[in-house]
Amino acid sequence: MRERGQREVFCGLTGIVWLHRKIQDAFFLVVGSRTCAHLLQSAAGVMIFAEPRFATAIIEERDLAGLADMNDELDAVVARLIARRPEIRLLFLVGSCPSEVIKLDLSRAAARLDAIHGPALRVLNYSGSGIETTFTEGEDACLSALAATLPSAAADAGPSLLVAGVLPDIVEDQFARLFAAMGIEAAFLPARRADAMPAIGRETRVLLAQPFLGNTARTLAERGATRIAAPFPFGAEGTTLWLRAAAEAMGVAPATFERATAPARRRAETALAARRAALAGKSIFFFPDSQLEPSLARFLAREMGMRPVEVGTPYLHREHLAEELALLPETTRLAEGQDVDRQLDRCRAAKPDLAVCGLGLANPLEAAGIRTKWAIELIFSPIHGYEQAADLADLFVRPLDRADRLAALEAAA
Amino acid sequence: MKLTVWTYEGPPHVGAMRVATAMKGLHYVLHAPQGDTYADLLFTMIERRDHRPPVTYTTFQARDLGADTAAIFQTACADAFERFAPDAIIVGASCTAELIQDDPAGLASALRLPVPVIPLELPSYQKKENWGAAETFYALVRRLADPGTRPADPEAARRTCNILGPTALGFRHRDDVVEVAAILERLGIEVNVTAPLGARPSDLTRIPAAGFNVVLYPEIADTAARWLERTFGQARTRTVPIGVGATTDFVHEVAALAGVDPAPALGGSRLPWWSRSVDSNYLTGKRVFIFGDATHAVAAARVCADELGFTIAGLGTYAREFAREVRAAATGYGIEALVTDDYLEVEAAIAALAPELVLGTQMERHIAKRLGIPCAVISAPVHVQDFPARHSPQMGFEGANVLFDTFVHPLTMGLEEHLLTMFRDDFEFHDAAGPSHLDAAPSPLAETSAASDAPILWHSEAEKELRKIPFFVRGKARRNTEQYAATRGLATISLETLYDAKAHFGR
């Protein structure tokens, strides 16, 4: 089903919170309002105090009234920023709702600033506005901008594997080791430093690590790369299918694949088996948040025995999700978009054992007697791959475990 | 444009949300793009509310821009009325909707809803959160206050008052209301309406029935209270009862307005004895830096100076609307107020002053942590831990007890400080250990030299002696000594110089 109405979701600016941790010499400058700055500090929590590599250039009345030339103002802000943080090598000008509505041309500003401060500093632009992007789509917009500027692979370069999507360093290292064991040297987008971004060409095979990378995949395709179709690497099964799709595309022999992946796969399966009893048979309801929902529902249904009632997603990329959707139970109701009040009605009527939702809905649902799991934690925690499969399951086990532990308190209250 | 990493206040529509969420039976229809719903989590997470804020967002997207957004607003407004059946509705625009120039007031009134619809004009590119809350409360009071409820006999109404100002997401508002209501009860003064916290729109109509208004938080209630004073002749209180002295003044002020005896509500705080007891001797002259909203900063300064015997090293606020009050208070302490909403400026001021205690907001807590200085929180913005489960007012005599504990606990306890000085370099009381209740090791930042452009060399012997000074005063000792050496044209600091400087600067 498709819904339109009030959407209780984050905008794409939120992606900055994890993107800036990944690219160590990049700075994210939002051009927006006080609301944008307030959102970032609300989403970033205490992280904002660790001299973070993001900030907001707040548009003021004088900018809107034409008293100040906004491009001059922006140039001055960037100059001040660069003076303060000379170690920055890559600057993203991030568009917001206000900057998009007043049609401030940030792509031209980025080109101008790139000419002024280059080559030591590269300046790129993307939009993280709420009117255009939902939560993780901010990462898609950022990586898409980055993908357009990747160096071209040498003409005689052989087939190469590019894994796209921000992964925690520990997860990235695990995947790199697994690929190395198959004889593949995998590159990752984004790289950890601006000067180490991977090259791309006609022989590049792209493996998406996240389901929300529609624009990035298209930009990479325009650069000649080919996408490898696969489900996403959540749980033992998802990880195996994901790795196998890459191995097959790169011509790895089945025996080599088996030898490289078997130990980690067995570890993951053993760890998941220990948690299955806590989740099996339980119903789960996903509110739309990150586009991870169908993949997580597939993992929870097939590997943990849960029953997904409704799986909401802010946007459904039918081509990239084809392999996932084929694995989802047929009884699952897929909902694209949102009308939050109606969806809350459906959730309360369904009385799921667990609802996955944003922080604005979680406590109100708990108060209404529905156990919840905050969706945002699924973005900030390492959950991909074999070694994290059980951690992923634990994120869903914990609220249910807690309900059991507090049963006596509930009764007393 | 202004480069901003941290903002002390949100945009003005968040202030309006604080008023709407505080009340019952009021709904806010906010014209805003997808994503602005992030503000809900301030209420559901930081304040831990068990209901969603009563706010419907239109959450328009790029594909809706054009004629469509006005229709989306009307649909959202009509749906919200039907679903939530509010007694009154406020409508307005967030920063982006302000730019697309739909007219929420006109669009909403065209729906001819059978309840009051109150439009809000909140200029997002000029004003901030507290202003938005004040303006929203004023707009509500102005529209709903019914002159017909004004008492026929003003003398009979003299012993009734309204409590104005507490909102959702207010620092300790919940418990302050309890304390102030208890004071009023002891004085035999009846509370007519408390608003916005817990009030319905119908309660606001009865505001004129009271004799006078208690303004708890001027940042939020002053605009409305001034209007009520002009329109209905209701006097308003000027004293905010934070601290023993201010609470005593408040009791006298309120008693005079109501024409009652103040005695029943006076006294009852442990702060005066706690502060006089000998263990508090070591608090004398502790240098404190204070920053926050104007009301809490000025009140905390009075408590620190008059009730705890501290020295006010710095005083400031992020609230430009109330800069005048803070400047006046600072002048009284012989210092210049710091009025800024740039936390980097606050950080620079704290680093330069090297106080022994910082009282501030969540940001100052983090600044102090970086600098290795003890800190307590006295003002919003605050994190979830400052919306405690336990009763913890700032106001009234119980509030004074809370302030004493809160300000004193982060400091090295008297005996502990004595031991650190006595057994400097001791294996257990060495500086890296720090106070037993602070886990963070002091940051080297606190010790940076005063004049980095003219490096002064320390003899290794003097440097070693410097290390023996407890960490929490070492930064100041280093700076003082270097300053002393610089003014005397000394290129190097010997052991002698160190002690000469100590004698020169005293404490």
Side-chain angles (χ1 to χ4, degrees):
Chain A
M1 65 187 287
R2 277 197 189 162
E3 267 194 320
R4 273 186 80 174
Q6 181 182 323
R7 293 163 70 104
E8 184 89 14
V9 288
F10 280 124
C11 67
L13 294 182
T14 326
I16 292 170
V17 176
W18 65 86
L19 279 162
H20 90 285
R21 299 299 310 157
K22 186 68 196 181
I23 314 177
Q24 295 163 9
D25 51 1
F27 195 99
F28 294 78
L29 179 65
V30 176
V31 181
S33 64
R34 182 167 302 280
T35 310
C36 306
H38 197 233
L39 159 87
L40 275 182
Q41 78 185 36
S42 304
V46 297
M47 199 191 280
I48 197 150
F49 297 102
E51 192 77 13
R53 281 172 286 102
F54 57 82
T56 308
I58 294 185
I59 298 170
E60 294 174 301
E61 190 69 19
R62 49 198 291 274
D63 301 307
L64 296 173
L67 294 176
D69 183 284
M70 250 190 275
N71 285 304
D72 292 346
E73 291 281 306
L74 183 57
D75 291 2
V77 165
V78 170
R80 190 180 160 207
L81 183 67
I82 298 308
R84 204 180 134 73
R85 305 296 296 270
E87 76 281 14
I88 298 303
R89 293 286 165 267
L90 177 58
L91 173 67
F92 287 99
L93 300 181
V94 188
S96 66
C97 299
S99 75
E100 296 293 331
V101 166
I102 60 173
K103 303 205 184 318
L104 180 60
D105 193 339
L106 288 181
S107 63
R108 273 181 62 186
R112 181 180 69 243
L113 287 162
D114 192 72
I116 295 171
H117 297 284
L121 176 76
R122 290 178 54 213
V123 186
L124 296 177
N125 144 259
Y126 72 90
S127 172
S129 74
I131 55 177
E132 291 158 307
T133 59
T134 304
F135 196 32
T136 48
E137 285 175 351
E139 176 179 328
D140 186 29
C142 173
L143 297 190
S144 183
L146 205 50
T149 65
L150 292 179
S152 295
D156 57 351
S160 63
L161 179 66
L162 177 65
V163 179
V166 171
L167 293 168
D169 289 351
I170 185 169
V171 177
E172 190 179 299
D173 291 342
Q174 287 166 10
F175 284 148
R177 283 198 296 272
L178 285 168
F179 284 125
M182 298 178 217
I184 304 170
E185 193 186 337
F188 292 84
L189 177 72
R192 295 177 201 185
R193 303 198 65 86
D195 61 5
M197 292 297 165
I200 186 164
R202 305 211 71 82
E203 293 295 313
T204 307
R205 308 279 180 269
V206 175
L207 185 61
L208 300 180
Q210 304 280 18
F212 45 74
L213 298 175
N215 287 321
T216 305
R218 194 166 61 235
T219 308
L220 290 169
E222 284 163 7
R223 300 287 309 273
T226 315
R227 183 178 70 91
I228 301 168
F232 292 90
F234 303 110
E237 182 190 36
T239 304
T240 301
L241 293 173
W242 186 75
L243 290 169
R244 182 179 289 145
E248 283 170 0
M250 298 298 288
V252 175
T256 311
F257 176 79
E258 185 59 26
R259 203 165 44 244
T261 57
R265 185 170 69 236
R266 270 197 295 277
R267 261 201 307 277
E269 283 166 352
T270 310
L272 287 176
R275 285 147 176 96
R276 193 165 293 125
L279 295 177
K282 299 279 197 317
S283 63
I284 187 163
F285 190 110
F286 284 87
F287 284 81
D289 191 61
S290 64
Q291 299 185 44
L292 255 49
E293 297 84 3
S295 308
L296 296 175
R298 178 265 302 160
F299 158 68
L300 291 170
R302 290 175 62 90
E303 299 192 53
M304 306 311 288
M306 289 189 90
R307 189 162 52 80
V309 184
E310 174 165 324
V311 177
T313 177
Y315 176 74
L316 186 62
H317 197 299
R318 282 164 206 283
E319 191 190 332
H320 290 184
L321 268 290
E323 289 72 21
E324 290 290 14
L325 297 181
L327 295 174
L328 263 185
E330 279 181 12
T331 52
T332 303
R333 179 168 66 227
L334 261 179
E336 185 181 4
Q338 187 174 36
D339 182 325
V340 70
D341 287 312
R342 294 212 177 98
Q343 194 164 35
L344 281 166
D345 289 343
R346 291 201 299 277
C347 182
R348 283 188 286 255
K351 289 198 181 68
D353 293 305
L354 196 61
V356 183
C357 62
L359 297 174
L361 301 179
N363 269 335
L365 279 172
E366 290 280 350
I370 292 174
R371 306 304 306 188
T372 60
K373 167 79 223 103
W374 314 343
I376 196 166
E377 212 177 345
L378 297 160
I379 287 295
F380 289 137
S381 311
I383 58 169
H384 294 70
Y386 291 127
E387 315 302 347
Q388 284 67 237
D391 300 338
L392 175 57
D394 278 341
L395 290 176
F396 298 92
V397 170
R398 195 173 303 128
L400 296 170
D401 179 22
R402 184 160 190 80
D404 291 343
R405 289 167 187 258
L406 299 186
L409 182 68
E410 291 283 299
Chain B
M1 278 182 198
K2 187 172 187 314
L3 183 61
T4 311
V5 181
W6 175 274
T7 159
Y8 282 94
E9 291 184 74
H13 72 259
V14 169
M17 285 182 70
R18 289 177 53 189
V19 172
T21 306
M23 290 182 61
K24 295 185 169 78
L26 179 71
H27 202 84
Y28 185 14
V29 181
L30 179 61
H31 207 14
Q34 164 177 274
D36 279 5
T37 52
Y38 81 86
D40 280 359
L41 69 87
L42 304 172
F43 300 91
T44 59
M45 297 305 292
I46 295 180
E47 205 177 9
R48 248 184 269 252
R49 286 188 173 258
D50 59 3
H51 283 83
R52 296 171 66 210
V55 183
T56 293
Y57 305 79
T58 55
T59 58
F60 56 84
Q61 294 174 265
R63 60 168 184 252
D64 305 319
L65 290 178
D68 217 358
T69 51
I72 289 176
F73 180 84
Q74 282 196 313
T75 309
C77 201
D79 287 355
F81 175 73
E82 195 172 322
R83 179 175 282 271
F84 300 104
D87 302 342
I89 294 180
I90 50 179
V91 299
S94 80
C95 50
T96 304
E98 193 181 330
L99 297 171
I100 61 174
Q101 296 182 334
D102 288 333
D103 170 22
L107 292 168
S109 72
L111 293 172
R112 301 188 180 285
L113 298 174
V115 295
V117 175
I118 299 143
L120 300 176
E121 287 292 338
L122 304 177
S124 315
Y125 297 91
Q126 295 168 10
K127 303 292 188 180
K128 290 179 275 187
E129 179 178 330
N130 278 332
W131 188 91
E135 184 65 16
T136 303
F137 186 51
Y138 166 64
L140 281 164
V141 169
R142 192 169 171 152
R143 170 67 179 273
L144 297 173
D146 179 4
T149 63
R150 194 77 193 116
D153 175 11
E155 189 55 32
R158 211 176 160 192
R159 289 191 182 191
T160 64
C161 71
N162 302 307
I163 299 178
L164 303 183
T167 62
L169 216 62
F171 176 65
R172 308 295 167 87
H173 287 198
R174 178 195 70 195
D175 301 339
D176 284 348
V177 169
V178 172
E179 286 306 310
V180 170
I183 288 175
L184 295 169
E185 193 183 346
R186 281 200 288 277
L187 293 172
I189 300 170
E190 188 193 332
V191 176
N192 178 50
V193 173
T194 301
L197 193 63
R200 301 189 71 89
S202 56
D203 295 324
L204 298 190
T205 61
R206 299 186 291 106
I207 280 182
F212 64 98
N213 289 315
V214 171
V215 177
L216 279 200
Y217 308 101
E219 279 87 347
I220 291 153
D222 221 35
T223 314
R226 280 167 191 269
W227 180 79
L228 289 165
E229 193 169 41
R230 282 198 306 275
T231 311
F232 301 116
Q234 285 176 321
R236 65 193 159 97
T237 57
R238 312 296 175 97
T239 313
V240 177
I242 298 178
V244 173
T247 301
T248 305
D249 292 351
F250 174 81
V251 170
H252 284 291
E253 186 185 12
V254 167
L257 286 172
V260 298
D261 177 12
L266 289 172
S269 174
R270 294 184 193 95
L271 184 147
W273 168 243
W274 250 243
S275 197
R276 201 178 310 124
S277 75
V278 291
D279 187 60
S280 298
N281 251 326
Y282 77 103
L283 300 175
T284 313
K286 286 262 185 207
R287 299 173 66 256
V288 57
F289 180 93
I290 302 167
F291 196 85
D293 68 26
T295 300
H296 286 91
V298 170
R302 180 173 173 184
V303 171
C304 286
D306 298 350
E307 300 174 20
L308 297 174
F310 292 165
T311 296
I312 312 297
L315 177 62
T317 184
Y318 55 80
R320 288 185 188 280
E321 291 91 342
F322 289 79
R324 182 197 296 255
E325 286 82 343
V326 180
R327 287 207 175 94
T331 306
Y333 301 114
I335 54 174
E336 199 180 324
L338 174 68
V339 179
T340 180
D341 59 1
D342 184 343
Y343 93 108
L344 294 173
E345 272 183 48
V346 179
E347 183 173 83
I350 294 176
L353 288 166
E356 291 159 274
L357 175 68
V358 171
L359 300 179
T361 73
Q362 190 59 35
M363 280 75 107
E364 283 68 47
R365 170 143 75 194
H366 285 267
I367 292 169
K369 193 172 173 186
R370 272 172 62 126
L371 299 177
I373 304 171
C375 178
V377 169
I378 58 157
S379 161
V382 294
H383 266 322
V384 63
Q385 66 270 39
D386 277 304
F387 284 93
R390 67 177 185 278
H391 184 61
S392 10
Q394 303 286 289
M395 292 184 179
F397 294 115
E398 178 60 21
N401 296 340
V402 171
L403 295 184
F404 181 91
D405 289 346
T406 310
F407 293 6
V408 170
H409 277 180
L411 295 168
T412 319
M413 298 289 109
L415 181 61
E416 198 174 358
E417 178 171 325
H418 180 68
L419 290 171
L420 276 168
T421 316
M422 199 167 136
F423 298 111
R424 40 174 91 157
D425 263 359
D426 178 271
F427 72 105
E428 273 171 328
F429 291 101
H430 62 93
D431 60 279
S436 56
H437 56 285
L438 288 180
D439 55 358
S443 152
L445 250 176
E447 285 189 55
T448 47
S449 299
S452 53
D453 48 342
I456 293 177
L457 289 177
W458 284 73
H459 281 174
S460 63
E461 212 180 17
E463 182 84 45
K464 214 169 143 195
E465 196 71 0
L466 182 72
R467 307 298 304 178
K468 294 181 189 169
I469 296 173
F471 71 89
F472 46 86
V473 286
R474 193 185 305 142
K476 195 171 68 155
R478 177 186 285 273
R479 257 188 298 270
N480 282 350
T481 311
E482 289 179 357
Q483 195 186 326
Y484 178 84
T487 54
R488 274 154 191 75
L490 303 174
T492 55
I493 292 169
S494 65
L495 198 54
E496 288 292 302
T497 323
L498 179 66
Y499 282 111
D500 284 348
K502 184 172 189 285
H504 177 75
F505 285 103
R507 179 188 153 79

